[in-house]
Structures are given as structure tokens and as C-alpha cells.
Amino acid sequence: MLMDALLLQLGYNATLVAIGATLLGISAGVTGTFLFLRKRALVSDAISHATLPGVCIAFILMASFGGDGRNLIGLLLGSAASASAGLWCLNWLTRNTRLAEDAAIGSVLSVFFGFGIVLLTVIQTLGVGRQAGLEGFLLGSTAGMLWADAMVIAVGGAVTLLLILLIRRPMTLVAFDPEYAAARGLPVSKIDMAMMGLVMAVTVVGLKIVGLILIVALLIIPAVTARFWTERSDYVVLLAGLAGGLSAYVGAAMSASAPNLPTGPIIVLMSFALFLLSLLFAPNRGVLAAVLRHLRFQRRVHLRQGLLALAQGQPIYEKLTLRLLRRGGLVRADGVATSIGKARAAKALRDERRWAVVRSDHAHEAAAALYDGLRQIESVLTQDQITEIDRQIGGPKEVLA
């Protein structure tokens, strides 16, 4: 069943839902990247929670006039209006009061979401709440989704992605350096609002699939995942879109193969799985890479200290140091230095004396700042400078052990 869903073999509607979810995931990942780089990730949480009153009010209005209260376009329009009001309140509080942005986000989020829960309770007392299925907007659900609903989501995700591609360059500049963007003549406040508008569009389109509670995860987790793999912003955008699209596609397929599973949590779990893989195995920022770097650094320190101890005739008690020296053919099994070990030890001790001269001479202040106990002095000074330092410290001395 799951394989059929992944291969788009569960029927036309399920296929359209999977495609729509994929477009939504790509749009969310790309949009969330700019939000993440702008360090405004929690704004998406406020926007998503602010959609609930709009959904409820739209349902009440459509049901009151004898229409279908479950019409997705009407519900999405209501959520967009509510989210716009929440975003306006957030910006007004941030600019015109002493509240910091995080406090304003908490205020808007809690007030709008609380109002939405009250309205949801009122709808249930009207006797149409259960039939309305509005609970699906909290966690997302594709079960029973109509063809028209799936088409709305697919088209909405595609249009949002197209808009992102059109204004990605100014958004990137504002996300990294708003002061420089303003100096270049870019309207930073308008670009910020456009960015928030795209976040709102992704949030509104994704309500039916991911739900208002978890849409923030689809916006932020792919961007964080992509950041583990690259330092370049354009690559982060591409990888975030790929991660978002993949997690949404697999999550929607799993939900379609098991209709009792809520779509939103499954998509978020798939996104978290990609994040976890990146956290552990990314080549530069991953945990495994950090552990390997630490082990390599530890071995270099032990080897360096072992060579200095050999050069000064000091006993070596650390087992790791002895093991590294033996493995490198620098000492024999009884701990006595080999000819290669004596030469390396003498070189290590002489380099320390050279570094001591460099660090005490103000003329070499820039070079002295690079000293870390492990750096080769030849990578910092020219051969003429090293020769001059050697004249000051005298000729090389024999290794004592």
C-alpha cells in the first residue's frame, strides 16, 4: 500500500494530493530559509496560529448564508484575512510599543489562537462542528480531500514558489544584511512585508495538509537541515526546498496509504528524520564530523607533546601518546627514541624556541597571533626570517633520550 502511494498508484486524487503536498513542501522550505536567515523564525508560529479565527469565522459565515461551510477556498480566504490581521498586529506592537518581537509574537499567538478555540467551541455547539471537520485544520488531514481541494493546494503551492523565485535576490540581501540593503536603496520594510506575505501564503495553503500547529515545522526544519550541508545561501535555498518537498511527498504518501494517520505530524516526522540525518552525518557541521575533528586534534596534541618530551628527556606516561609514537615509528617498544624520532623531536623543540622568539618580538606580532602550539612555523614565516631567528637561538641541540 505504501509503495503504491509512493509510486502514485492510489488514484487520481491521492496523486494530486501528493503533488500538491510536494509543491507546498518546496515552497515552505524555500520561504522558511529566508525567514531563518532573517532570524525571525517564530514569526511563522504567530502567523499560523492567527489563522484559526479566520477559518472559524469563514465557516460560520458560509454556513449562515446556506453555503457549504467546508468550502476550502472560502476557509483559506478567511484564514488569510485572519493571518493578515495577526501580522499587522505583530508589526504594530513591535514598532509602536516597547515590546520586543518575541513578546509581541507570544501575545499575538496566544490571543488569536485562544479566540479561534472559542469560536471552534461555539461552532460545535451549533451542531455542525463535527460535520465541518475543522479539527483537520489543526493537525492536517488529506483523508476525504476532494479533487478541487487538492487542485487549490497544488496551484497555491506552485504560485507561491513562483513568487519566491521572482524576488529571491532582494530577500536574500535583506535577510543577510538589512543595513547594506537599505544603503543600496532597497525598500527593506516592503521586502520584509513581502517575505512575511509569502510566509502567510505558505501557511494558508498548507493548513489542510499540515495543519496550523505544525506548519511552522515545515517552514523552519528544512532550512535548518540544509544549513548543515553548505555555507552558500543559494545552496541552502535549494537544499531546503528539496528537503521540504521530499518530506511532504513521503508524508502525504504515508497518510494516503493509512487514512487514520494525520498528515501533518507524519510530514513533520519525515522532515525531522532528514534533520536528524543531517545533524549526525553532515560532512562539516555534523556531530560525527565534529567528533572526528576532535579526535584528530587530540592525536596531534598528544604527538606534539610526546615529541617535546622526547627532546627534553622527560618520561612519557600517557598511554595514547606512547601508542601514537610507536605507531609512527618514533620510539621503540621500550620507549627509547628511534633515529627518526630523535630528528622529529629535535625539530619540534627547535620550532618551539623559534616560536618563543617570534612571540617576544613585536616585529612578528601578526605571525605570533597565529601560534597555537601545532602550526608549522614554515607556513607562517619565510625561510630568510627563520634563518635570522636561528642565528639568535644558536645551533640545534641533541635529543637527550
Side-chain angles (χ1 to χ4, degrees):
M1 190 74 169
L2 176 59
M3 189 56 65
D4 290 338
L6 291 173
L7 296 177
L8 305 179
Q9 301 296 317
L10 287 184
Y12 187 72
N13 271 21
T15 299
L16 196 58
V17 168
I19 295 173
T22 303
L23 291 173
L24 171 67
I26 295 172
S27 301
V30 172
T31 306
T33 300
F34 298 106
L35 203 61
F36 169 69
L37 295 176
R38 190 73 170 92
K39 296 179 175 61
R40 301 188 71 186
L42 285 179
V43 172
S44 60
D45 208 14
I47 293 174
S48 63
H49 283 74
T51 58
L52 184 57
V55 171
C56 296
I57 292 173
F59 172 79
I60 292 173
L61 290 176
M62 288 188 292
S64 299
F65 288 100
D68 182 9
R70 294 171 297 177
N71 181 272
L72 184 61
I73 294 180
L75 295 176
L76 293 186
L77 289 175
S79 66
S82 178
S84 299
L87 184 58
W88 181 86
C89 290
L90 176 61
N91 287 330
W92 188 89
L93 287 172
T94 303
R95 293 176 181 175
N96 298 285
T97 69
R98 293 179 177 272
L99 285 178
E101 187 175 61
D102 55 349
I105 288 172
S107 302
V108 171
L109 182 153
S110 56
V111 170
F112 275 75
F113 188 65
F115 182 44
I117 293 296
V118 171
L119 290 176
L120 195 60
T121 305
V122 170
I123 290 173
Q124 290 172 345
T125 62
L126 296 177
V128 292
R130 286 296 172 188
Q131 291 78 6
L134 295 183
E135 295 85 353
F137 284 90
L138 296 177
L139 295 176
S141 175
T142 57
M145 184 180 290
L146 301 176
W147 175 88
D149 297 343
M151 182 61 73
V152 168
I153 293 171
V155 172
V159 170
T160 304
L161 183 59
L162 179 61
L163 292 174
I164 294 168
L165 293 176
L166 290 176
I167 60 173
R168 70 187 187 281
R169 292 190 181 278
M171 285 199 304
T172 301
L173 188 56
V174 170
F176 272 105
D177 196 339
E179 289 80 11
Y180 176 69
R184 288 279 302 270
L186 292 177
V188 174
S189 60
K190 291 182 179 179
I191 294 173
D192 255 339
M193 287 304 297
M195 193 184 303
M196 295 303 107
L198 290 172
V199 171
M200 186 184 70
V202 169
T203 301
V204 169
V205 172
L207 285 179
K208 185 64 176 175
I209 291 181
V210 185
L212 63 91
I213 294 178
L214 296 175
I215 187 65
V216 61
L218 194 58
L219 281 162
I220 301 305
I221 294 180
V224 177
T225 300
R227 189 66 181 87
F228 278 106
W229 294 92
T230 181
E231 302 284 343
R232 293 187 54 177
S233 61
D234 49 350
Y235 290 167
V236 172
V237 171
L238 290 174
L239 290 175
L242 179 62
L246 182 61
S247 58
Y249 175 76
V250 175
M254 292 182 66
S255 179
S257 63
N260 290 329
L261 291 176
T263 311
I266 297 299
I267 291 177
V268 171
L269 287 177
M270 292 300 102
S271 186
F272 174 74
L274 293 178
F275 165 78
L276 189 61
L277 289 174
S278 302
L279 174 66
L280 294 176
F281 301 114
N284 293 321
R285 292 172 169 265
V287 173
L288 181 60
V291 170
L292 292 176
R293 281 196 302 270
H294 174 73
L295 292 176
R296 286 195 294 267
F297 177 77
Q298 185 182 48
R299 286 195 292 269
R300 289 179 64 197
V301 170
H302 277 266
L303 187 59
R304 180 74 171 181
Q305 294 303 314
L307 290 173
L308 292 175
L310 284 178
Q312 299 173 79
Q314 298 174 353
I316 301 173
Y317 301 104
E318 180 62 47
K319 292 182 180 179
L320 176 59
T321 304
L322 288 171
R323 187 163 63 249
L324 291 172
L325 291 172
R326 292 191 187 105
R327 188 182 301 169
L330 303 177
V331 298
R332 298 197 299 262
D334 57 2
V336 177
T338 63
S339 57
I340 298 176
K342 290 180 180 180
R344 290 275 301 275
K347 172 69 166 53
L349 183 60
R350 188 161 187 81
D351 280 350
E352 283 298 311
R353 290 171 177 161
R354 289 166 171 169
W355 275 114
V357 173
V358 169
R359 293 162 65 192
S360 63
D361 189 348
H362 291 296
H364 296 297
E365 185 175 356
L370 300 175
Y371 174 76
D372 59 3
L374 298 173
R375 187 185 298 269
Q376 295 291 325
I377 197 168
E378 290 84 0
S379 66
V380 178
L381 300 180
T382 65
Q383 189 57 49
D384 290 340
Q385 290 173 315
I386 294 174
T387 301
E388 177 60 29
I389 292 173
D390 285 343
R391 278 200 293 267
Q392 297 179 38
I393 63 177
K397 296 190 170 140
E398 292 287 334
V399 174
L400 300 177

